[in-house]
Amino acid sequence: MTPLRLGYLYGLVAYLLWGFFPLYFKLLRPTGPLEILAHRVVWSVAFVALLLAVMRNIGFLRFLLRRPRALAGVGAAATLIAINWFTYIYGVNSDRVVETALGYFINPLVVVLLGVLVLREQLRRAQWAALGVGALAVAVLTVDYGRLPYLALTLAFTFGGYSLVKKRLGLPAAEGLFVESAVLAVPALVFLGWLAASGDAAFGRVSAGHTVLLVLAGALTAIPLLLFAGAANRLPLTALGMLQYVAPILQLACGVLIFHEPMPPARLVGFALVWLALIVFTADAVRHARRNRRSRRDSEVGAAAAVPAPR
């Protein structure tokens, strides 16, 4: 299998797993969102530590400990992803899967907005148009919900911020996930210990299957992230960008078709505006990537023509 095809396979499997996450987290009831989050963190550390031990790649920790700014960045990334995970789990288990799907549809637009606000990037006109349509969609959905779709916005901004921090850190996927989870593991273990001591823990008290599902939350967290990293190393950015819509489409389908969450006309209009913004955004990204490839090819041809022929 060629690297490109392998990249598509990795990316598709990662987004399929993320797309069906609502089905998994529903199975973890009656466990509360904070307990699920704590188990997700603790078992992620255990799973990735085992993976790194097999890969014999623990030495990176010494390198990281000599970089205090990188450690601060890891702390920021860990905080953002913890908020994101908690919000998502809370949304799924409070029957708001449709709103969580909206968050991941909005996320690409938020990443562009963060590029302007934080990195001072200049946007093309099509990107500004996509952001404007996205803002209109949020306004329509606010009227429909009777409030800001705060779950969706929290998911979009925390994951957008997490992506920005991760891009600046430049850590490999497994190592980065291990350090982020390790930062969160101490408060997670303290919280789980307090729950067990107070008799409020669901772990080990519901059923054997439920306990196994909580333990597997660590692997289920790590595997899609590792597959995504493999895809990112093999695919063009535009291809990866188009694949990312697989997950929220599946999450939306789960919310509407499986969990029978309401989708009134006004909400459908809001989603349609989000999709229009994404179409504009994606079409512009594809057109810009093709233009860049053409420019590079023309430059290479021009450079080759300028080389004098051997005498």
Side-chain angles (χ1 to χ4, degrees), residues 11 27 32 34 65 69 79 97 102 113-114 117 125 127-128 143 153 155 180 188 197 209 219 222 226 236 245 275 304:
L27 296 175
L34 270 178
L65 288 172
R69 290 185 67 181
T79 302
V97 174
L102 174 65
L113 181 62
L114 289 175
L117 298 177
R125 276 183 290 185
Q127 291 174 311
W128 278 116
V143 173
L153 293 174
L155 287 170
E180 290 158 20
L226 298 175
Y245 302 129
W275 295 328

mmCIF file of all heavy atoms in Angstrom, residues 11 27 32 34 65 69 79 97 102 113-114 117 125 127-128 143 153 155 180 188 197 209 219 222 226 236 245 275 304:
data_model
loop_
_atom_site.group_PDB
_atom_site.id
_atom_site.type_symbol
_atom_site.label_atom_id
_atom_site.label_comp_id
_atom_site.label_asym_id
_atom_site.label_seq_id
_atom_site.Cartn_x
_atom_site.Cartn_y
_atom_site.Cartn_z
ATOM 1 N N GLY A 11 -6.507 8.217 8.363
ATOM 2 C CA GLY A 11 -7.377 9.350 8.624
ATOM 3 C C GLY A 11 -8.843 8.946 8.686
ATOM 4 O O GLY A 11 -9.574 9.384 9.580
ATOM 5 N N LEU A 27 -22.899 4.441 26.622
ATOM 6 C CA LEU A 27 -22.812 3.164 27.334
ATOM 7 C C LEU A 27 -22.218 3.320 28.732
ATOM 8 O O LEU A 27 -22.332 2.403 29.559
ATOM 9 C CB LEU A 27 -21.958 2.169 26.534
ATOM 10 C CG LEU A 27 -22.511 1.738 25.167
ATOM 11 C CD1 LEU A 27 -21.486 0.856 24.456
ATOM 12 C CD2 LEU A 27 -23.824 0.997 25.327
ATOM 13 N N GLY A 32 -20.922 9.706 36.042
ATOM 14 C CA GLY A 32 -20.969 11.140 35.778
ATOM 15 C C GLY A 32 -19.842 11.587 34.862
ATOM 16 O O GLY A 32 -18.809 10.911 34.733
ATOM 17 N N LEU A 34 -17.498 13.894 35.121
ATOM 18 C CA LEU A 34 -16.170 14.077 35.734
ATOM 19 C C LEU A 34 -15.489 12.738 36.000
ATOM 20 O O LEU A 34 -14.271 12.605 35.819
ATOM 21 C CB LEU A 34 -16.299 14.874 37.035
ATOM 22 C CG LEU A 34 -16.202 16.401 36.913
ATOM 23 C CD1 LEU A 34 -16.402 17.060 38.261
ATOM 24 C CD2 LEU A 34 -14.865 16.822 36.306
ATOM 25 N N LEU A 65 12.017 17.889 30.028
ATOM 26 C CA LEU A 65 12.207 18.509 31.340
ATOM 27 C C LEU A 65 13.215 19.645 31.302
ATOM 28 O O LEU A 65 13.235 20.497 32.188
ATOM 29 C CB LEU A 65 12.658 17.441 32.349
ATOM 30 C CG LEU A 65 11.572 16.447 32.778
ATOM 31 C CD1 LEU A 65 12.166 15.328 33.618
ATOM 32 C CD2 LEU A 65 10.458 17.153 33.541
ATOM 33 N N ARG A 69 9.595 26.215 28.972
ATOM 34 C CA ARG A 69 8.543 26.827 28.170
ATOM 35 C C ARG A 69 7.679 25.757 27.490
ATOM 36 O O ARG A 69 6.460 25.905 27.366
ATOM 37 C CB ARG A 69 9.148 27.758 27.118
ATOM 38 C CG ARG A 69 9.761 29.036 27.704
ATOM 39 C CD ARG A 69 10.228 29.977 26.630
ATOM 40 N NE ARG A 69 9.108 30.509 25.855
ATOM 41 C CZ ARG A 69 9.251 31.346 24.827
ATOM 42 N NH1 ARG A 69 10.476 31.761 24.471
ATOM 43 N NH2 ARG A 69 8.212 31.787 24.173
ATOM 44 N N THR A 79 -4.850 21.458 29.831
ATOM 45 C CA THR A 79 -6.038 22.133 30.366
ATOM 46 C C THR A 79 -7.119 22.263 29.302
ATOM 47 O O THR A 79 -8.305 21.985 29.550
ATOM 48 C CB THR A 79 -5.657 23.523 30.901
ATOM 49 O OG1 THR A 79 -4.650 23.381 31.908
ATOM 50 C CG2 THR A 79 -6.864 24.238 31.476
ATOM 51 N N VAL A 97 -26.207 15.634 21.673
ATOM 52 C CA VAL A 97 -25.219 15.165 20.697
ATOM 53 C C VAL A 97 -25.201 16.079 19.473
ATOM 54 O O VAL A 97 -24.137 16.362 18.907
ATOM 55 C CB VAL A 97 -25.524 13.706 20.284
ATOM 56 C CG1 VAL A 97 -24.598 13.256 19.156
ATOM 57 C CG2 VAL A 97 -25.390 12.776 21.485
ATOM 58 N N LEU A 102 -22.238 20.171 16.168
ATOM 59 C CA LEU A 102 -22.111 21.547 15.683
ATOM 60 C C LEU A 102 -20.749 22.130 16.057
ATOM 61 O O LEU A 102 -20.116 22.825 15.257
ATOM 62 C CB LEU A 102 -23.235 22.405 16.270
ATOM 63 C CG LEU A 102 -23.161 23.913 15.984
ATOM 64 C CD1 LEU A 102 -23.321 24.181 14.504
ATOM 65 C CD2 LEU A 102 -24.234 24.656 16.790
ATOM 66 N N LEU A 113 -10.066 31.852 12.695
ATOM 67 C CA LEU A 113 -10.218 33.056 13.514
ATOM 68 C C LEU A 113 -9.061 33.201 14.495
ATOM 69 O O LEU A 113 -8.526 34.308 14.678
ATOM 70 C CB LEU A 113 -11.547 32.995 14.267
ATOM 71 C CG LEU A 113 -11.887 34.195 15.159
ATOM 72 C CD1 LEU A 113 -11.997 35.463 14.327
ATOM 73 C CD2 LEU A 113 -13.187 33.944 15.918
ATOM 74 N N LEU A 114 -8.637 32.103 15.105
ATOM 75 C CA LEU A 114 -7.494 32.145 16.026
ATOM 76 C C LEU A 114 -6.211 32.517 15.285
ATOM 77 O O LEU A 114 -5.338 33.195 15.845
ATOM 78 C CB LEU A 114 -7.324 30.793 16.726
ATOM 79 C CG LEU A 114 -8.384 30.438 17.771
ATOM 80 C CD1 LEU A 114 -8.164 29.015 18.285
ATOM 81 C CD2 LEU A 114 -8.349 31.417 18.931
ATOM 82 N N LEU A 117 -6.416 36.281 15.171
ATOM 83 C CA LEU A 117 -6.320 36.955 16.463
ATOM 84 C C LEU A 117 -4.980 36.718 17.152
ATOM 85 O O LEU A 117 -4.444 37.626 17.801
ATOM 86 C CB LEU A 117 -7.450 36.488 17.379
ATOM 87 C CG LEU A 117 -8.879 36.791 16.902
ATOM 88 C CD1 LEU A 117 -9.893 36.205 17.880
ATOM 89 C CD2 LEU A 117 -9.083 38.297 16.754
ATOM 90 N N ARG A 125 -10.331 36.867 0.906
ATOM 91 C CA ARG A 125 -11.730 37.312 0.949
ATOM 92 C C ARG A 125 -12.697 36.151 1.177
ATOM 93 O O ARG A 125 -13.681 36.277 1.903
ATOM 94 C CB ARG A 125 -12.084 38.056 -0.336
ATOM 95 C CG ARG A 125 -11.697 39.529 -0.308
ATOM 96 C CD ARG A 125 -12.128 40.253 -1.548
ATOM 97 N NE ARG A 125 -11.343 39.826 -2.714
ATOM 98 C CZ ARG A 125 -11.449 40.385 -3.922
ATOM 99 N NH1 ARG A 125 -12.323 41.355 -4.121
ATOM 100 N NH2 ARG A 125 -10.708 39.972 -4.925
ATOM 101 N N GLN A 127 -12.144 33.458 2.844
ATOM 102 C CA GLN A 127 -12.081 33.058 4.256
ATOM 103 C C GLN A 127 -12.882 34.010 5.133
ATOM 104 O O GLN A 127 -13.570 33.577 6.067
ATOM 105 C CB GLN A 127 -10.621 33.003 4.711
ATOM 106 C CG GLN A 127 -9.832 31.864 4.060
ATOM 107 C CD GLN A 127 -8.365 31.923 4.428
ATOM 108 O OE1 GLN A 127 -7.720 32.973 4.331
ATOM 109 N NE2 GLN A 127 -7.821 30.791 4.846
ATOM 110 N N TRP A 128 -12.806 35.316 4.838
ATOM 111 C CA TRP A 128 -13.619 36.274 5.589
ATOM 112 C C TRP A 128 -15.110 36.008 5.355
ATOM 113 O O TRP A 128 -15.925 36.102 6.288
ATOM 114 C CB TRP A 128 -13.285 37.710 5.155
ATOM 115 C CG TRP A 128 -12.069 38.291 5.821
ATOM 116 C CD1 TRP A 128 -10.906 38.674 5.225
ATOM 117 C CD2 TRP A 128 -11.899 38.548 7.214
ATOM 118 N NE1 TRP A 128 -10.023 39.145 6.155
ATOM 119 C CE2 TRP A 128 -10.599 39.092 7.384
ATOM 120 C CE3 TRP A 128 -12.708 38.367 8.337
ATOM 121 C CZ2 TRP A 128 -10.104 39.453 8.629
ATOM 122 C CZ3 TRP A 128 -12.210 38.728 9.587
ATOM 123 C CH2 TRP A 128 -10.928 39.265 9.723
ATOM 124 N N VAL A 143 -30.912 32.143 18.400
ATOM 125 C CA VAL A 143 -32.359 32.424 18.421
ATOM 126 C C VAL A 143 -33.133 31.120 18.585
ATOM 127 O O VAL A 143 -34.094 31.033 19.361
ATOM 128 C CB VAL A 143 -32.782 33.157 17.137
ATOM 129 C CG1 VAL A 143 -34.306 33.287 17.070
ATOM 130 C CG2 VAL A 143 -32.130 34.533 17.061
ATOM 131 N N LEU A 153 -19.708 26.049 21.073
ATOM 132 C CA LEU A 153 -18.649 27.062 21.039
ATOM 133 C C LEU A 153 -17.481 26.673 21.949
ATOM 134 O O LEU A 153 -16.310 26.888 21.598
ATOM 135 C CB LEU A 153 -19.208 28.421 21.448
ATOM 136 C CG LEU A 153 -20.224 29.027 20.460
ATOM 137 C CD1 LEU A 153 -20.829 30.302 21.034
ATOM 138 C CD2 LEU A 153 -19.567 29.308 19.117
ATOM 139 N N LEU A 155 -16.547 23.587 22.710
ATOM 140 C CA LEU A 155 -15.832 22.514 22.014
ATOM 141 C C LEU A 155 -14.965 23.084 20.889
ATOM 142 O O LEU A 155 -13.794 22.704 20.736
ATOM 143 C CB LEU A 155 -16.822 21.497 21.443
ATOM 144 C CG LEU A 155 -17.503 20.578 22.449
ATOM 145 C CD1 LEU A 155 -18.625 19.791 21.783
ATOM 146 C CD2 LEU A 155 -16.507 19.622 23.087
ATOM 147 N N GLU A 180 0.641 15.180 28.278
ATOM 148 C CA GLU A 180 -0.596 15.898 28.592
ATOM 149 C C GLU A 180 -1.449 15.109 29.583
ATOM 150 O O GLU A 180 -1.975 15.663 30.556
ATOM 151 C CB GLU A 180 -1.398 16.134 27.308
ATOM 152 C CG GLU A 180 -0.765 17.142 26.372
ATOM 153 C CD GLU A 180 -1.267 16.964 24.948
ATOM 154 O OE1 GLU A 180 -2.334 16.348 24.757
ATOM 155 O OE2 GLU A 180 -0.590 17.437 24.016
ATOM 156 N N ALA A 188 -6.776 13.732 38.540
ATOM 157 C CA ALA A 188 -7.748 12.687 38.191
ATOM 158 C C ALA A 188 -7.725 11.573 39.227
ATOM 159 O O ALA A 188 -8.785 11.093 39.674
ATOM 160 C CB ALA A 188 -7.451 12.134 36.802
ATOM 161 N N ALA A 197 -13.702 6.787 48.234
ATOM 162 C CA ALA A 197 -13.802 6.901 49.693
ATOM 163 C C ALA A 197 -15.195 7.334 50.133
ATOM 164 O O ALA A 197 -15.689 6.907 51.192
ATOM 165 C CB ALA A 197 -12.758 7.899 50.195
ATOM 166 N N GLY A 209 -19.007 -5.459 32.617
ATOM 167 C CA GLY A 209 -18.896 -4.849 31.290
ATOM 168 C C GLY A 209 -18.699 -3.352 31.369
ATOM 169 O O GLY A 209 -17.899 -2.772 30.621
ATOM 170 N N ALA A 219 -7.591 3.594 25.834
ATOM 171 C CA ALA A 219 -7.178 3.166 24.501
ATOM 172 C C ALA A 219 -7.999 3.868 23.431
ATOM 173 O O ALA A 219 -7.472 4.268 22.383
ATOM 174 C CB ALA A 219 -7.327 1.648 24.370
ATOM 175 N N ALA A 222 -6.541 7.258 22.865
ATOM 176 C CA ALA A 222 -5.213 7.324 22.257
ATOM 177 C C ALA A 222 -5.191 6.860 20.801
ATOM 178 O O ALA A 222 -4.521 7.470 19.959
ATOM 179 C CB ALA A 222 -4.235 6.482 23.078
ATOM 180 N N LEU A 226 -3.386 8.729 17.510
ATOM 181 C CA LEU A 226 -2.194 8.173 16.869
ATOM 182 C C LEU A 226 -2.439 7.936 15.379
ATOM 183 O O LEU A 226 -1.557 8.182 14.544
ATOM 184 C CB LEU A 226 -1.783 6.871 17.565
ATOM 185 C CG LEU A 226 -1.398 7.020 19.039
ATOM 186 C CD1 LEU A 226 -1.120 5.658 19.669
ATOM 187 C CD2 LEU A 226 -0.182 7.915 19.191
ATOM 188 N N PRO A 236 -1.771 15.474 2.134
ATOM 189 C CA PRO A 236 -1.783 16.930 1.999
ATOM 190 C C PRO A 236 -2.791 17.532 2.987
ATOM 191 O O PRO A 236 -3.782 16.888 3.351
ATOM 192 C CB PRO A 236 -2.251 17.152 0.551
ATOM 193 C CG PRO A 236 -2.099 15.846 -0.137
ATOM 194 C CD PRO A 236 -2.201 14.781 0.906
ATOM 195 N N TYR A 245 -14.534 16.348 8.241
ATOM 196 C CA TYR A 245 -15.983 16.496 8.329
ATOM 197 C C TYR A 245 -16.697 15.162 8.526
ATOM 198 O O TYR A 245 -17.896 15.142 8.818
ATOM 199 C CB TYR A 245 -16.524 17.202 7.082
ATOM 200 C CG TYR A 245 -15.911 18.561 6.851
ATOM 201 C CD1 TYR A 245 -15.376 18.927 5.623
ATOM 202 C CD2 TYR A 245 -15.839 19.483 7.895
ATOM 203 C CE1 TYR A 245 -14.790 20.168 5.430
ATOM 204 C CE2 TYR A 245 -15.258 20.722 7.707
ATOM 205 C CZ TYR A 245 -14.738 21.058 6.472
ATOM 206 O OH TYR A 245 -14.160 22.290 6.297
ATOM 207 N N TRP A 275 -22.739 24.656 7.089
ATOM 208 C CA TRP A 275 -22.243 23.853 5.968
ATOM 209 C C TRP A 275 -21.868 24.725 4.775
ATOM 210 O O TRP A 275 -20.873 24.462 4.089
ATOM 211 C CB TRP A 275 -23.295 22.806 5.568
ATOM 212 C CG TRP A 275 -23.555 21.799 6.635
ATOM 213 C CD1 TRP A 275 -22.671 21.316 7.554
ATOM 214 C CD2 TRP A 275 -24.804 21.158 6.941
ATOM 215 N NE1 TRP A 275 -23.285 20.428 8.401
ATOM 216 C CE2 TRP A 275 -24.580 20.300 8.055
ATOM 217 C CE3 TRP A 275 -26.082 21.221 6.391
ATOM 218 C CZ2 TRP A 275 -25.597 19.525 8.607
ATOM 219 C CZ3 TRP A 275 -27.101 20.440 6.934
ATOM 220 C CH2 TRP A 275 -26.852 19.604 8.032
ATOM 221 N N ALA A 304 14.990 24.903 -13.854
ATOM 222 C CA ALA A 304 15.658 23.879 -14.680
ATOM 223 C C ALA A 304 16.051 24.459 -16.011
ATOM 224 O O ALA A 304 17.139 24.161 -16.546
ATOM 225 C CB ALA A 304 14.710 22.684 -14.866
#
